[in-house]
Amino acid sequence: MIEVLIQRALPDLGGSAIPPFHDVRSARDWLKLLPMINVPVAHDEISQAIAQLNQSRLAALESLKIIEQFRESVHTLQDAIISKLINKPLPLSTEEQALWDAVDRLWLCMETTYARGWHAACNNEIGITEFLPLLAERTLYYSCKQHCHLAHIYRKPSEAQWRQIFAYYELAKAQHIEKLKARDSLIQISGVTTPESIFLHALLFSAANPHQYTFKQQIWLNNRLEILATRSSLSPIAQTLPNRPALYIDLQAPSSPMRRQGERYDSELEIDTYSLAQVIIKRIKLLRMGEMPDKIGLGTELSPQTAEELLRDLYRAWCEHPTERALPRRESQRYLEAGTGLSNLHFWLAKNNFAPPPQTEQYMSSTELMQIRMFGQTSARSSAMPVNVIETQQWQINNETAQGICLQRARDGQQRIQLHQLMMLADGKTQLLGQVRWLAETHDQREIGIELLPGMPEAACIRAQDAARFGQGDFTKVVMLGALPALKSPATLLLPPGWFRQGRLLDYWDGHQLNRIRLVSLLGRGVDYERVHFVPSGGL
């Protein structure tokens, strides 16, 4: 049985490649000469060296000592490359995709090195057998790294990737080493973990739906899981909150954890979420009592309020997970048009039914004022009305609720999408506005979840009073959302990022009349907009 698992999980040994070092000492000297200040060159060189190490006949113990020396440098270079991909819209550009692929290849190389050592230990190679728990932990660690790296570009692990990490865990379990501790200097708090904890890390990360989180939030979640995963376990029957179904996995059908609904099978294991619930509830209470996140093991990356919100999300995803939704989804096969970009959405709404704002001499645009001062008149080109091309894309509705819509379409590069981006949806004569709440990709499909914003959208233009005093009287194209008394939602403006300042006075043009308004409060923001409550502020 173990022989079958070894063959299924671990790579073959042997090879004919010659790495640029032949033992630990020469590898240490090679690493000292690596130009770490030149990240692209250093990243490429260390990737090639480890790939050659994986295809060489170097002794397994020697390979283990070498790769352990390389770990810190590898992670430093990986972080430097990944920082260039933070919050990039999808699909990635050609250059961005090349960077992402380079990071993915290096994580795979690290996984392969430890997996080869694991294979050698299974063959009782001299000197390596005693490191079996460490090799299993490191192999699972870098397999988990690949899963998390996929989430950075909101891509789901493939079936093959799930099968691989499950195969590693099954082998560790068959060898009775899944609960044995291994030292790991990259585990920030305790420095010790087990193969099962790393496997649970990958499972709980996936169950948390990371596709709804920003890169910063995903990193926070990863760091917290180093501890949270050690507070859980896998067993045929696990403890859960009262009247709550368990999260479980099926070793015969590798995938993200599922919610228990039917009968149990021998190949299934449940995740202990009761202990997780206790840990999370305790920290939420401490945050509400005024404790700072870093004092209770929650790091310094997030504010107390944001950390509490994420803990509540994790509690619902892992521990409560009700079997029925508060708002049921309605399946649909309809298509609709979707557009992004605040200015683009303004033109879409303004098409054929919005008069441009008046331009008086007092409030001429800054460009026109400059031309008058320099040439005595405005140019014919600037006075001509621009031709605005409205950019939209067709999406299919997968399902919908009263507060959101799930859309899908084939992956392509026609429209780049980003988390928390403003998007308008049009179905016939109905137009709705929302923000991208989550997004996920497979090899050929893209799905996005749209959280609808209350109110019917209308085109509008605004002009800042404080800017007008300096001769900058240009109007800015925005969108207004009408009030919805039934939802206690006031009329709001969607402004470009950075526009909100409490009490700021604006000239407001609705297509018919010029009024003066005052900004009251910021109700929400995304990557390309701010949603602001406003009130009238007298006549002009």
Side-chain angles (χ1 to χ4, degrees), residues 276-474:
L276 283 175
Q278 290 180 317
V279 173
I280 294 173
I281 290 173
K282 180 179 179 180
R283 278 154 178 76
I284 290 175
K285 289 180 178 178
L286 289 172
L287 287 172
R288 290 176 177 175
M289 291 169 61
E291 286 284 358
M292 295 303 294
D294 59 315
K295 300 297 183 182
I296 53 177
L298 298 179
T300 59
E301 303 97 326
L302 303 179
S303 66
Q305 181 182 359
T306 305
E308 182 185 335
E309 290 175 357
L310 259 69
L311 285 177
R312 291 202 305 267
D313 283 347
L314 297 178
Y315 182 81
R316 286 191 293 266
W318 294 338
C319 310
E320 281 193 338
H321 41 264
T323 55
E324 295 184 3
R325 296 174 55 88
L327 295 173
R329 292 174 175 169
R330 300 186 300 274
E331 301 296 327
S332 175
Q333 297 297 321
R334 294 183 295 118
Y335 286 84
L336 47 71
E337 294 294 319
T340 59
L342 190 57
S343 180
N344 180 55
L345 301 186
H346 167 92
F347 287 125
W348 195 5
L349 290 165
K351 186 178 180 181
N352 301 327
N353 61 359
F354 185 83
Q359 291 283 356
T360 63
E361 184 178 351
Q362 179 184 2
Y363 290 117
M364 283 186 176
S365 70
S366 56
T367 303
E368 291 172 328
L369 287 171
M370 182 63 71
Q371 289 173 347
I372 288 174
R373 289 167 185 164
M374 294 181 67
F375 308 113
Q377 61 181 5
T378 60
S379 68
R381 177 178 297 179
S382 65
S383 61
M385 289 296 292
V387 177
N388 302 305
V389 179
I390 301 169
E391 298 180 358
T392 64
Q393 192 175 49
Q394 193 174 68
W395 289 75
Q396 180 183 350
I397 299 177
N398 191 1
N399 57 69
E400 56 186 322
T401 70
Q403 297 179 350
I405 301 177
C406 175
L407 305 176
Q408 64 179 21
R409 64 168 286 122
R411 283 180 58 196
D412 55 44
Q414 296 180 10
Q415 188 180 54
R416 301 191 75 184
I417 304 295
Q418 196 170 358
L419 201 66
H420 301 151
Q421 184 177 19
L422 190 65
M423 179 174 280
M424 189 162 77
L425 313 174
D427 180 8
K429 295 183 179 180
T430 303
Q431 294 170 316
L432 299 172
L433 268 175
Q435 70 159 348
V436 179
R437 182 67 179 83
W438 58 265
L439 59 98
E441 289 190 345
T442 60
H443 68 284
D444 61 350
Q445 193 90 358
R446 177 182 301 153
E447 288 186 346
I448 57 175
I450 304 297
E451 180 184 12
L452 298 178
L453 299 176
M456 296 302 296
E458 299 177 13
C461 290
I462 57 169
R463 179 172 56 195
Q465 288 295 297
D466 46 2
R469 289 200 299 270
F470 297 94
Q472 299 176 356
D474 308 60

Side-chain angles (χ1 to χ4, degrees), residues 184-202:
D184 193 334
S185 60
L186 297 181
I187 302 295
Q188 296 180 0
I189 297 179
S190 65
V192 176
T193 188
T194 66
E196 183 172 276
S197 293
I198 298 297
F199 183 53
L200 278 164
H201 184 140

Side-chain angles (χ1 to χ4, degrees), residues 491-524:
T492 56
L493 279 176
L494 301 182
L495 306 179
W499 264 73
F500 174 75
R501 187 167 63 251
Q502 191 171 25
R504 188 177 195 182
L505 295 177
L506 304 176
D507 287 343
Y508 173 76
W509 174 258
D510 61 4
H512 306 283
Q513 186 177 1
L514 191 63
N515 296 299
R516 184 159 295 168
I517 62 172
R518 177 169 54 86
L519 303 185
V520 177
S521 59
L522 182 66
L523 301 182

